[in-house]
Amino acid sequence: MEMRRKLNVLLNDSIAFRSFLTMVIHGSGRLLGLLAFILLARLVSVEDYGNIIFGNSMAKLVAAIAMMGCLGIMVRTWGWSEFDDFERKRYVHYISNWYLFNGLPIIVVITIGWIAYLKFIGDSGSALIAFLAFLYVFPLFVANLYQSYFISIKKPLTSSTILLIINGFWVIFLTMAFLLLDLSALYLLLGLFIGTLLLAILLVFINSYKYGVKKVKPRNGSLSFALAQWGSMLLAQIDILLLQFFSDTEQLAYYGVALQLSMVIAFVLGAIVSNVVSQLAEDYKQLSKDIVQQRVLLYAKIIATFSSIVLIFLYLFGYFICLLFGEEYGVSYSILCILMIGQAFNAMNGCNGWLLNLSGYEKIPVKGFYIAIVIKLILGIVLVNHYGMFGVAITSVIALVLWNLIMTYFCFKNIKINPTIIPFKI
């Protein structure tokens, strides 16, 4: 009854309701993405799936590098702009064009480097599979860029719809392959890449038709936003790198499944942040600190409530979900339970990193990320050699808890705002 009462209160709040709608759409997109990887695991061997996980993780990392912290900059541009609604949207779009035209060459250079590496090592089926999975970086970069744009102009539902459409295509294509076609891993990946790339090109055309192709370099750009985004992605993907270089593709495949499921909790935080981050930038600039504190506490409660529902669900049914990938993936559940400890702590600390970013202390999250990354690397190398993927999972939890402690401490110290679910005054 108490849980139902809290949910009713939250859903009567406009922010909570929009967050709920975003989670429905974003969650549907995530669910389709999960289903796509279940189908993919059923269509390929465990070794090939491990190589796909590595290539896909590198695509996420390189796409983050090419994004150069654009979300934080576009959000702050929106929050601090004095243009009217249409002009503000168009101006932020011009900034997104700048990131598009400057990010793609970075991806091209890295891709050429990977091709040169393939030529150097000679014919290797495993390396080729990882490379084809990596090619997803091109449509992923475009999709992430426009998702960031729509979040910055307060249209998180549109942002989530992009994810829904792309993952929907993956499910349709892989379902056809599962039921009707007999394709190798190479052709599966090639088909996914071509189809998703066409969707990304269509997305660029639609947005350029509405606002034009002019590009504007952001005036309030900061290297700290880029370093923070790179650090965030590296902190999330370094587990895969550790297993790639210090373990084998089988453990990489099992860990990849657990990591995908644990990120379902992180999407709750992302869905709520996408609804509030632009408003938070405006509030911090225009409202008193007491009112900002009240709103931050509300956001923390919303995050904690929805995250707890997902956590309980995964603890109860996570094992059976892992088995959907194949009977051999049952071991992934143990890894998932470890990773969820870190995600639960992350959810309890609310929007701590974003609060620092939007209040002019963006260098603090950067330092926090790279401190956590160094500790994760050192501790991970030690533990992976003794405990394999379980050691990497333990290291991941320690690093995530440490990062949150640093961020929350500086929220208390520098901006005198409590970002956590615990409602005590500073």
Side-chain angles (χ1 to χ4, degrees):
M1 289 294 294
E2 180 66 17
M3 177 64 75
R4 182 181 297 178
R5 185 188 67 79
K6 289 182 177 179
L7 280 175
N8 287 334
V9 171
L10 289 171
L11 291 176
N12 285 328
D13 178 85
S14 60
I15 294 288
F17 187 66
R18 290 202 308 270
S19 299
F20 177 74
L21 289 179
T22 303
M23 278 189 285
V24 169
I25 298 177
H26 194 84
S28 299
R30 288 276 183 176
L31 183 62
L32 288 174
L34 183 63
L35 179 57
F37 273 91
I38 290 173
L39 290 168
L40 199 54
R42 290 284 186 172
L43 288 166
V44 302
S45 66
V46 173
E47 182 180 357
D48 284 345
Y49 190 72
N51 285 307
I52 291 170
I53 290 293
F54 173 68
N56 186 261
S57 295
M58 292 305 98
K60 293 176 181 177
L61 186 57
V62 172
I65 291 172
M67 294 271 285
M68 295 181 282
C70 66
L71 176 58
I73 293 172
M74 288 194 291
V75 164
R76 195 161 73 175
T77 300
W78 172 272
W80 293 5
S81 173
E82 296 180 356
F83 291 135
D84 62 29
D85 188 61
F86 178 80
E87 287 298 323
R88 187 153 55 159
K89 290 177 182 176
R90 185 165 63 179
Y91 183 73
V92 176
H93 177 76
Y94 289 162
I95 293 176
S96 73
N97 284 342
W98 186 89
Y99 284 104
L100 178 66
F101 295 137
N102 285 273
L104 283 176
I106 296 174
I107 297 175
V108 169
V109 169
I110 295 175
T111 303
I112 291 172
W114 198 322
I115 292 173
Y117 170 75
L118 288 175
K119 291 289 185 180
F120 175 76
I121 66 171
D123 186 21
S124 173
S126 296
L128 184 58
I129 287 174
F131 173 70
L132 287 176
F134 167 76
L135 285 181
Y136 178 57
V137 66
F138 286 96
L140 177 64
F141 166 69
V142 173
N144 285 349
L145 178 61
Y146 283 109
Q147 282 186 288
S148 298
Y149 165 71
F150 285 114
I151 287 172
S152 67
I153 65 170
K154 296 185 176 181
K155 290 189 175 182
L157 292 176
T158 305
S159 173
S160 298
T161 302
I162 294 173
L163 178 71
L164 183 69
I165 292 172
I166 290 176
N167 286 347
F169 163 74
W170 274 53
V171 169
I172 293 171
F173 179 83
L174 290 171
T175 300
M176 291 176 60
F178 188 80
L179 297 176
L180 304 174
L181 306 174
D182 184 18
L183 299 176
S184 66
L186 295 176
Y187 285 108
L188 284 171
L189 293 172
L190 192 60
L192 289 171
F193 166 67
I194 293 173
T196 314
L197 182 63
L198 292 174
L199 289 174
I201 292 172
L202 179 62
L203 184 60
V204 173
F205 175 80
I206 292 173
N207 283 277
S208 298
Y209 179 79
K210 185 173 183 179
Y211 292 111
V213 295
K214 179 181 177 181
K215 62 177 180 177
V216 173
K217 185 176 181 180
R219 296 176 183 174
N220 58 346
S222 171
L223 181 60
S224 296
F225 283 113
L227 290 173
Q229 186 174 20
W230 300 343
S232 173
M233 186 55 65
L234 188 58
L235 186 63
Q237 300 300 325
I238 205 170
D239 308 41
I240 302 299
L241 288 171
L242 286 169
L243 289 170
Q244 173 71 17
F245 292 106
F246 296 101
S247 187
D248 54 52
T249 52
E250 186 175 349
Q251 289 208 19
L252 185 56
Y254 299 148
Y255 191 92
V257 168
L259 186 61
Q260 285 175 312
L261 291 175
S262 72
M263 294 307 291
V264 173
I265 304 164
F267 106 77
V268 174
L269 177 60
I272 295 168
V273 167
S274 68
N275 277 277
V276 305
V277 67
S278 293
Q279 186 62 51
L280 194 58
E282 294 179 1
D283 291 348
Y284 188 84
K285 187 175 176 64
Q286 300 171 6
L287 303 179
S288 69
K289 190 161 291 185
D290 287 340
I291 297 176
V292 173
Q293 176 64 79
Q294 292 174 11
R295 294 190 177 185
V296 168
L297 179 59
L298 173 63
Y299 304 154
K301 288 181 178 180
I302 296 171
I303 291 169
T305 299
F306 289 127
S307 295
S308 63
I309 295 172
V310 177
L311 276 165
I312 293 170
F313 179 83
L314 286 177
Y315 270 120
L316 292 176
F317 304 105
Y319 178 73
F320 303 102
I321 297 173
C322 290
L323 291 180
L324 293 175
F325 289 82
E327 291 184 8
E328 60 269 43
Y329 288 94
V331 68
S332 298
Y333 177 69
S334 300
I335 303 296
L336 173 62
C337 289
I338 297 173
L339 293 177
M340 283 196 292
I341 297 172
Q343 291 296 342
F345 193 84
N346 190 36
M348 288 175 58
N349 282 269
C351 307
N352 49 16
W354 271 109
L355 276 170
L356 292 168
N357 279 330
L358 298 176
S359 58
Y361 294 98
E362 62 267 16
K363 291 183 180 179
I364 294 175
V366 173
K367 293 177 182 178
F369 277 128
Y370 289 97
I371 290 171
I373 287 168
V374 170
I375 292 175
K376 193 173 186 178
L377 268 175
I378 296 171
L379 191 59
I381 291 172
V382 173
L383 293 183
V384 72
N385 287 313
H386 289 86
Y387 304 106
M389 57 185 177
F390 292 94
V392 173
I394 293 170
T395 301
S396 180
V397 172
I398 293 172
L400 190 56
V401 169
L402 175 64
W403 183 83
N404 274 285
L405 288 174
I406 294 172
M407 295 306 99
T408 297
Y409 169 77
F410 280 104
C411 282
F412 290 159
K413 181 177 183 291
N414 288 28
I415 60 177
K416 308 295 190 245
I417 290 179
N418 171 19
T420 72
I421 188 177
I422 305 171
F424 60 83
K425 293 185 177 180
I426 300 173

